[in-house]
Each structure stands twice: as C-alpha cells, then as structure tokens.
Amino acid sequence: MKKKILLTLAYDGTHYAGFQVQPDAPTVQAAVQDAIEQIYLCRPDVTGCSRTDAGVHARDYKLMFVTDDTMPKIPAERIPAALNTVLPRDIAVLFAEEVPMCFHVRHDVYEKEYEYIVWNSAVRDPFSADRAYLFRRPLDADALNAAGEAFVGTHGFRGFVAAGAVIAATVRTVRSVSVRREGKRVIFAIAADGFLYNMVRIFVGTMLAVAEGKIPAESLPDVIASRDRSRAGMTVPACGLYLNRVEFRRDAFDSDRKENTDCECR
C-alpha cells in the first residue's frame, strides 16, 4: 500500500544552490533525497512546496514523498529522528505526518509568507553575514509598515519579476505586509497566495528605496500599476530571505476529496 508522507523542514540555505536538484551543485532537495535513500534503501521522488533560490533559508518548508510496501515501515512520528541522524547539520526535519494520497504540497497551498531580515546598523554583524542584509542608513520601520499597505490586494506584479524571466501570469494576491523592528533587525514580512521569481527581494529593495527617498511612498501604487521593472527598487541579496510559513487550504487533508485538476493523486 502506498503512503504519502509530508515533511516540515527548516534549513540554512547558505551553502546550497537552492532547493531544486541541479547538476554539479549541492541542493536541499538532493540532500533530503540522500537522507531518505539511506533510511528507506531506495530513492523516491520528492516534491517541495517552493523553489527557493541559492542562499535562501526556510523555517517552515513542506516536502512530500511516497512510500510503498517494498520500503521499510517507519511510523511517521519516528521519521524526523531517523532522517535527522543522516541529514547535514544545516537541514532538519521538524515534523512528519501521513497525508491523503490526493494531497499535493504545491497545488493545495493557500498562502505562503516570506520574511526578509535587514541588519540595520553602521557596523556589520559577523553572525548575520549570511543570514541578513546589511543596510547602514537609518530605517523608520513604522513609516515603512504604513507604506507597505500599497502592496496589499490583487495586482499584476510584472514590475517585480527578475529581468529576463519568462512568466505568463503575473497576477498575485498579497494578503498582508508588515515591517517591524527587533533591535538592529528590521524584518519585512509579506504573505500572498503565490510569489513570482525574485518578487519578495524586489519588494524589499523597493521599500529600501522608499526609505532612501529614491521612491516616494505615495507613488508606490503607481509603481505597481506601471508593471515597469525599472521603476521598482533593486533586487536585494538572497541572504536575508526566509520562507517563514506555509498554509494549506481547508480541504487539503480530506481523504475523501475527489480527484480534480487541483488535486493530483499520485
């Protein structure tokens, strides 16, 4: 009998070329597959909830794979301990659960939230070098929090996609944006039904341009509506970006859900 297993991972992406397997480069997906192979004595396909880029981190990454009767039978509650014994130190399985075969880790996502950490100080922090972006000019988190409301809603985000990226559909619904300060860290959080390539990093770069006076806060709705990449801010480095939260739609775990175009049963 086949069983679908959903893993929750956390990882430091500093030393990886992103999540998805790539030739001649270490990736999170390959590391997890290596660990599964050691425990299950075979190498099943694994599917992740998102293609995080090189250097991007995750606190709540979701990944699924399927087991069958030819593989060792390991209770879900014991899978994290088993995999963590063979995973690299910068990747950890936080939780494992069996889910219905009709569940899909990408198609059933309702909302994702990313956080971007800026180390806001004239002096760099050696402990945050690969985990936050150093920005020396003062930041008013409250003013940026108010300005960020311009991004909330359903918009075409063509201007917030990496230059040269070929993406047919650029409409996304941003459900919340917040900016807060925790000591010298300024944390930008954005939650949406989906994200485009480099969208969050360009969003943060645009907000930093607002802080520097390069883009007036009141012009942000027009910048978004223009769908012009040249009017948005820079693409900030990957080091400060974290996949912070993934939520699934309400019926995602209903075992009696019928097959449809949104539910790939496999």
Side-chain angles (χ1 to χ4, degrees), residues 24-62:
D24 305 318
T27 65
V28 176
Q29 184 178 25
V32 173
Q33 284 184 295
D34 289 345
I36 291 174
E37 186 172 12
Q38 290 187 62
I39 298 301
Y40 283 93
L41 309 178
C42 69
R43 195 177 184 88
D45 292 333
V46 300
T47 302
C49 65
S50 179
R51 295 182 179 182
T52 56
D53 295 334
V56 175
H57 319 292
R59 300 189 183 105
D60 183 31
Y61 191 92
K62 306 296 186 181

Short mmCIF file of all heavy atoms in Angstrom, two decimals, residues 24-62:
data_model
loop_
_atom_site.label_atom_id
_atom_site.label_comp_id
_atom_site.label_asym_id
_atom_site.label_seq_id
_atom_site.Cartn_x
_atom_site.Cartn_y
_atom_site.Cartn_z
N ASP A 24 25.89 19.19 -10.62
CA ASP A 24 27.18 19.69 -10.12
C ASP A 24 27.04 20.82 -9.10
O ASP A 24 27.92 21.69 -9.02
CB ASP A 24 28.06 20.16 -11.28
CG ASP A 24 28.27 19.06 -12.33
OD1 ASP A 24 28.47 17.91 -11.92
OD2 ASP A 24 28.19 19.37 -13.52
N ALA A 25 25.96 20.83 -8.34
CA ALA A 25 25.80 21.85 -7.30
C ALA A 25 24.99 21.25 -6.15
O ALA A 25 24.01 20.52 -6.39
CB ALA A 25 25.09 23.08 -7.85
N PRO A 26 25.37 21.53 -4.91
CA PRO A 26 24.61 21.00 -3.77
C PRO A 26 23.26 21.69 -3.64
O PRO A 26 23.18 22.92 -3.76
CB PRO A 26 25.51 21.31 -2.57
CG PRO A 26 26.30 22.51 -3.00
CD PRO A 26 26.52 22.34 -4.47
N THR A 27 22.20 20.93 -3.43
CA THR A 27 20.86 21.49 -3.25
C THR A 27 20.19 20.83 -2.06
O THR A 27 20.56 19.74 -1.63
CB THR A 27 19.99 21.29 -4.50
OG1 THR A 27 19.76 19.88 -4.69
CG2 THR A 27 20.65 21.88 -5.74
N VAL A 28 19.19 21.49 -1.53
CA VAL A 28 18.44 20.94 -0.40
C VAL A 28 17.71 19.68 -0.82
O VAL A 28 17.70 18.67 -0.09
CB VAL A 28 17.46 21.99 0.15
CG1 VAL A 28 16.60 21.39 1.27
CG2 VAL A 28 18.20 23.23 0.65
N GLN A 29 17.11 19.69 -1.99
CA GLN A 29 16.37 18.51 -2.45
C GLN A 29 17.28 17.29 -2.53
O GLN A 29 16.91 16.20 -2.09
CB GLN A 29 15.74 18.79 -3.82
CG GLN A 29 14.86 17.65 -4.33
CD GLN A 29 14.22 17.96 -5.67
OE1 GLN A 29 14.74 18.78 -6.43
NE2 GLN A 29 13.08 17.36 -5.95
N ALA A 30 18.46 17.46 -3.10
CA ALA A 30 19.39 16.33 -3.22
C ALA A 30 19.81 15.82 -1.84
O ALA A 30 19.91 14.61 -1.62
CB ALA A 30 20.60 16.74 -4.03
N ALA A 31 20.05 16.74 -0.90
CA ALA A 31 20.46 16.33 0.44
C ALA A 31 19.36 15.53 1.13
O ALA A 31 19.64 14.53 1.81
CB ALA A 31 20.82 17.56 1.27
N VAL A 32 18.11 15.96 0.95
CA VAL A 32 16.99 15.23 1.56
C VAL A 32 16.81 13.87 0.88
O VAL A 32 16.58 12.85 1.56
CB VAL A 32 15.69 16.06 1.47
CG1 VAL A 32 14.50 15.23 1.94
CG2 VAL A 32 15.82 17.33 2.30
N GLN A 33 16.95 13.83 -0.43
CA GLN A 33 16.85 12.54 -1.11
C GLN A 33 17.96 11.59 -0.68
O GLN A 33 17.73 10.39 -0.52
CB GLN A 33 16.89 12.75 -2.63
CG GLN A 33 15.59 13.27 -3.21
CD GLN A 33 15.63 13.37 -4.72
OE1 GLN A 33 16.40 14.14 -5.28
NE2 GLN A 33 14.82 12.57 -5.38
N ASP A 34 19.16 12.11 -0.49
CA ASP A 34 20.26 11.28 0.00
C ASP A 34 19.90 10.68 1.37
O ASP A 34 20.16 9.49 1.62
CB ASP A 34 21.54 12.11 0.14
CG ASP A 34 22.13 12.50 -1.20
OD1 ASP A 34 21.74 11.92 -2.23
OD2 ASP A 34 22.99 13.41 -1.22
N ALA A 35 19.32 11.49 2.24
CA ALA A 35 18.96 11.02 3.57
C ALA A 35 17.85 9.97 3.50
O ALA A 35 17.91 8.93 4.18
CB ALA A 35 18.53 12.20 4.44
N ILE A 36 16.84 10.23 2.68
CA ILE A 36 15.74 9.27 2.52
C ILE A 36 16.28 7.94 1.99
O ILE A 36 15.88 6.86 2.44
CB ILE A 36 14.65 9.84 1.60
CG1 ILE A 36 13.93 11.00 2.29
CG2 ILE A 36 13.64 8.75 1.22
CD1 ILE A 36 12.94 11.73 1.39
N GLU A 37 17.19 8.02 1.05
CA GLU A 37 17.76 6.80 0.48
C GLU A 37 18.50 5.98 1.53
O GLU A 37 18.43 4.74 1.54
CB GLU A 37 18.71 7.17 -0.66
CG GLU A 37 19.24 5.95 -1.42
CD GLU A 37 20.01 6.34 -2.66
OE1 GLU A 37 20.34 7.55 -2.81
OE2 GLU A 37 20.30 5.46 -3.49
N GLN A 38 19.19 6.65 2.43
CA GLN A 38 19.91 5.93 3.48
C GLN A 38 18.95 5.24 4.45
O GLN A 38 19.23 4.14 4.93
CB GLN A 38 20.81 6.90 4.26
CG GLN A 38 22.00 7.40 3.47
CD GLN A 38 22.94 8.21 4.33
OE1 GLN A 38 23.51 7.70 5.30
NE2 GLN A 38 23.10 9.48 4.00
N ILE A 39 17.83 5.87 4.72
CA ILE A 39 16.87 5.32 5.68
C ILE A 39 15.93 4.30 5.04
O ILE A 39 15.64 3.24 5.61
CB ILE A 39 16.05 6.46 6.33
CG1 ILE A 39 16.98 7.41 7.11
CG2 ILE A 39 14.98 5.88 7.25
CD1 ILE A 39 17.79 6.76 8.20
N TYR A 40 15.48 4.59 3.82
CA TYR A 40 14.47 3.75 3.17
C TYR A 40 15.06 2.77 2.14
O TYR A 40 14.33 1.97 1.56
CB TYR A 40 13.42 4.62 2.49
CG TYR A 40 12.43 5.23 3.45
CD1 TYR A 40 12.62 6.49 3.98
CD2 TYR A 40 11.28 4.53 3.82
CE1 TYR A 40 11.70 7.06 4.86
CE2 TYR A 40 10.35 5.07 4.69
CZ TYR A 40 10.57 6.34 5.21
OH TYR A 40 9.66 6.89 6.07
N LEU A 41 16.36 2.88 1.89
CA LEU A 41 17.07 1.96 0.99
C LEU A 41 16.59 2.06 -0.45
O LEU A 41 16.74 1.13 -1.24
CB LEU A 41 16.93 0.51 1.49
CG LEU A 41 17.29 0.29 2.97
CD1 LEU A 41 17.08 -1.16 3.35
CD2 LEU A 41 18.72 0.74 3.25
N CYS A 42 15.98 3.18 -0.80
CA CYS A 42 15.61 3.49 -2.17
C CYS A 42 15.52 5.01 -2.27
O CYS A 42 15.56 5.71 -1.26
CB CYS A 42 14.31 2.82 -2.59
SG CYS A 42 12.86 3.47 -1.77
N ARG A 43 15.39 5.52 -3.49
CA ARG A 43 15.41 6.98 -3.69
C ARG A 43 14.11 7.43 -4.34
O ARG A 43 14.04 7.60 -5.55
CB ARG A 43 16.62 7.36 -4.55
CG ARG A 43 16.97 8.84 -4.54
CD ARG A 43 18.22 9.10 -5.36
NE ARG A 43 18.65 10.48 -5.31
CZ ARG A 43 19.45 10.99 -4.38
NH1 ARG A 43 19.92 10.19 -3.41
NH2 ARG A 43 19.80 12.27 -4.41
N PRO A 44 13.06 7.68 -3.54
CA PRO A 44 11.80 8.13 -4.13
C PRO A 44 11.89 9.57 -4.59
O PRO A 44 12.74 10.35 -4.13
CB PRO A 44 10.81 7.98 -2.96
CG PRO A 44 11.65 8.17 -1.74
CD PRO A 44 12.97 7.55 -2.07
N ASP A 45 11.01 9.94 -5.50
CA ASP A 45 10.90 11.34 -5.89
C ASP A 45 10.38 12.16 -4.71
O ASP A 45 9.56 11.67 -3.92
CB ASP A 45 9.93 11.50 -7.07
CG ASP A 45 10.47 10.88 -8.35
OD1 ASP A 45 11.71 10.79 -8.48
OD2 ASP A 45 9.65 10.48 -9.20
N VAL A 46 10.88 13.36 -4.58
CA VAL A 46 10.36 14.26 -3.55
C VAL A 46 9.90 15.54 -4.24
O VAL A 46 10.51 15.99 -5.20
CB VAL A 46 11.41 14.57 -2.46
CG1 VAL A 46 11.86 13.30 -1.76
CG2 VAL A 46 12.60 15.33 -3.03
N THR A 47 8.82 16.11 -3.74
CA THR A 47 8.25 17.33 -4.30
C THR A 47 8.16 18.37 -3.20
O THR A 47 7.62 18.11 -2.12
CB THR A 47 6.85 17.07 -4.88
OG1 THR A 47 6.94 16.05 -5.87
CG2 THR A 47 6.28 18.34 -5.50
N GLY A 48 8.69 19.56 -3.47
CA GLY A 48 8.66 20.63 -2.49
C GLY A 48 7.59 21.66 -2.78
O GLY A 48 7.06 21.74 -3.89
N CYS A 49 7.29 22.47 -1.78
CA CYS A 49 6.24 23.47 -1.90
C CYS A 49 6.70 24.71 -2.65
O CYS A 49 5.87 25.52 -3.08
CB CYS A 49 5.73 23.88 -0.52
SG CYS A 49 6.97 24.71 0.51
N SER A 50 8.02 24.87 -2.81
CA SER A 50 8.54 26.08 -3.43
C SER A 50 9.95 25.84 -3.93
O SER A 50 10.68 25.00 -3.38
CB SER A 50 8.53 27.24 -2.41
OG SER A 50 9.05 28.42 -2.97
N ARG A 51 10.35 26.58 -4.96
CA ARG A 51 11.72 26.50 -5.46
C ARG A 51 12.53 27.65 -4.86
O ARG A 51 12.70 28.70 -5.50
CB ARG A 51 11.75 26.59 -6.98
CG ARG A 51 11.07 25.43 -7.68
CD ARG A 51 11.18 25.60 -9.19
NE ARG A 51 10.56 24.48 -9.90
CZ ARG A 51 10.54 24.37 -11.22
NH1 ARG A 51 11.12 25.29 -11.96
NH2 ARG A 51 9.96 23.34 -11.80
N THR A 52 12.99 27.50 -3.66
CA THR A 52 13.79 28.57 -3.07
C THR A 52 15.12 28.68 -3.82
O THR A 52 15.68 27.70 -4.27
CB THR A 52 14.04 28.33 -1.58
OG1 THR A 52 14.67 27.05 -1.40
CG2 THR A 52 12.75 28.36 -0.79
N ASP A 53 15.62 29.91 -3.94
CA ASP A 53 16.83 30.17 -4.70
C ASP A 53 18.08 29.93 -3.87
O ASP A 53 18.02 29.72 -2.65
CB ASP A 53 16.84 31.62 -5.19
CG ASP A 53 15.74 31.91 -6.19
OD1 ASP A 53 15.31 30.95 -6.87
OD2 ASP A 53 15.31 33.07 -6.29
N ALA A 54 19.22 30.01 -4.53
CA ALA A 54 20.51 29.86 -3.85
C ALA A 54 20.64 30.87 -2.72
O ALA A 54 20.35 32.06 -2.90
CB ALA A 54 21.65 30.05 -4.85
N GLY A 55 21.02 30.39 -1.55
CA GLY A 55 21.24 31.27 -0.41
C GLY A 55 20.01 31.60 0.40
O GLY A 55 20.11 32.25 1.44
N VAL A 56 18.82 31.17 -0.05
CA VAL A 56 17.57 31.46 0.66
C VAL A 56 17.35 30.40 1.74
O VAL A 56 17.65 29.22 1.55
CB VAL A 56 16.38 31.49 -0.31
CG1 VAL A 56 15.06 31.67 0.44
CG2 VAL A 56 16.57 32.62 -1.33
N HIS A 57 16.81 30.82 2.87
CA HIS A 57 16.60 29.93 4.02
C HIS A 57 15.11 29.58 4.17
O HIS A 57 14.25 30.18 3.53
CB HIS A 57 17.09 30.62 5.30
CG HIS A 57 18.38 31.36 5.13
ND1 HIS A 57 19.58 30.71 4.88
CD2 HIS A 57 18.66 32.69 5.13
CE1 HIS A 57 20.55 31.61 4.77
NE2 HIS A 57 20.02 32.81 4.90
N ALA A 58 14.82 28.63 5.04
CA ALA A 58 13.42 28.27 5.30
C ALA A 58 13.26 27.86 6.75
O ALA A 58 14.10 27.15 7.31
CB ALA A 58 12.98 27.13 4.38
N ARG A 59 12.17 28.30 7.33
CA ARG A 59 11.79 27.89 8.70
C ARG A 59 10.64 26.90 8.68
O ARG A 59 10.40 26.21 9.67
CB ARG A 59 11.38 29.12 9.52
CG ARG A 59 12.45 30.19 9.67
CD ARG A 59 12.00 31.23 10.68
NE ARG A 59 12.95 32.32 10.82
CZ ARG A 59 12.78 33.54 10.31
NH1 ARG A 59 11.67 33.80 9.61
NH2 ARG A 59 13.68 34.47 10.48
N ASP A 60 9.90 26.87 7.56
CA ASP A 60 8.68 26.05 7.50
C ASP A 60 8.49 25.55 6.08
O ASP A 60 7.52 25.88 5.41
CB ASP A 60 7.48 26.90 7.95
CG ASP A 60 6.17 26.11 7.98
OD1 ASP A 60 6.21 24.89 8.24
OD2 ASP A 60 5.11 26.71 7.72
N TYR A 61 9.44 24.75 5.61
CA TYR A 61 9.38 24.24 4.24
C TYR A 61 8.65 22.90 4.23
O TYR A 61 8.89 22.05 5.10
CB TYR A 61 10.79 24.06 3.67
CG TYR A 61 10.78 23.79 2.18
CD1 TYR A 61 10.89 24.83 1.27
CD2 TYR A 61 10.62 22.50 1.68
CE1 TYR A 61 10.84 24.61 -0.09
CE2 TYR A 61 10.57 22.26 0.31
CZ TYR A 61 10.68 23.33 -0.56
OH TYR A 61 10.63 23.10 -1.91
N LYS A 62 7.75 22.72 3.26
CA LYS A 62 6.96 21.50 3.16
C LYS A 62 7.42 20.66 1.97
O LYS A 62 7.63 21.19 0.88
CB LYS A 62 5.48 21.83 3.00
CG LYS A 62 4.91 22.76 4.07
CD LYS A 62 4.95 22.16 5.46
CE LYS A 62 4.22 23.07 6.45
NZ LYS A 62 4.25 22.54 7.83
#
